[in-house]
Structures are given as structure tokens and as C-alpha cells.
Amino acid sequence: MEHQIHYTGAMDVRCQFCGALRSQREQLNSCHNGKVSLPPLQEYPENLRLLFDADGAKGSNFRQNIRNYNSAFAFASFGANIRPPPGRGPHYFCLLG
């Protein structure tokens, strides 16, 4: 199967409501013309900010692998309702959703 590249153009149009960037060919604004408003992002913890801004091998490695770290921690920090299995048998972990 051959994959086709879909390019909508440069992200050079700024939303007048929220300031998000989009391409000229995109029809919708991310905030639906000011109807959606999110609270500001919290500051990064100091140790993550230092890694992100660091020069050298440590900072470079962190920036190159940031998606892997995010995926690993996202899976490790989900919530669950854990109940013992009915009857007898081996314990198991079941994810739904």
C-alpha cells in the first residue's frame, strides 16, 4: 500500500480569537471562532524545563526522545478501578475503553 502525502500549506494564518496557527487551506479554527476557551497551561516542573533547555548531549537526548517519554508516562499515570477477580483463578489486569 502506498501512502500519499497530504500538505495543507504553511501554518501562517493566526486565529483572531485564540492566536492558534493554521494553514490557509484549513476551514475551521481550533477554538470554533472563540466558542471554546481553555485555561492557560501550567508551568513545567523545574527539572523538566532544565532538561528541555539544556545544551549538550543530555538536553539533545531529551528533546529527541520527548515523545517516547510522554507515551511511557501517559500509560503509567492512568487511573483504574481494580477489583479482585470473581471466584478463584489467576489475577489479571483488564483495560476497557
Side-chain angles (χ1 to χ4, degrees):
M1 173 185 272
E2 188 174 325
H3 297 282
Q4 293 181 344
I5 295 174
H6 180 75
Y7 180 67
T8 61
M11 302 285 283
D12 58 359
V13 177
R14 187 170 296 277
C15 174
Q16 65 181 356
F17 301 100
C18 69
L21 291 174
R22 65 177 177 85
S23 72
Q24 185 69 39
R25 296 169 77 191
E26 289 181 284
Q27 298 296 317
L28 293 176
N29 290 334
S30 60
C31 69
H32 292 275
N33 295 329
K35 294 177 185 170
V36 176
S37 178
L38 299 175
L41 295 174
Q42 296 178 359
E43 291 291 322
Y44 292 107
E46 181 72 11
N47 54 353
L48 287 181
R49 190 186 59 74
L50 290 172
L51 270 174
F52 193 78
D53 293 339
D55 293 328
K58 202 174 204 180
S60 177
N61 180 282
F62 178 74
R63 288 186 297 276
Q64 287 174 359
N65 293 293
I66 197 166
R67 285 187 149 196
N68 295 332
Y69 297 137
N70 187 55
S71 295
F73 287 120
F75 182 76
S77 65
F78 70 91
N81 292 325
I82 300 174
R83 295 179 293 189
R88 297 183 56 160
H91 288 259
Y92 61 91
F93 195 81
C94 182
L95 298 176
L96 303 173

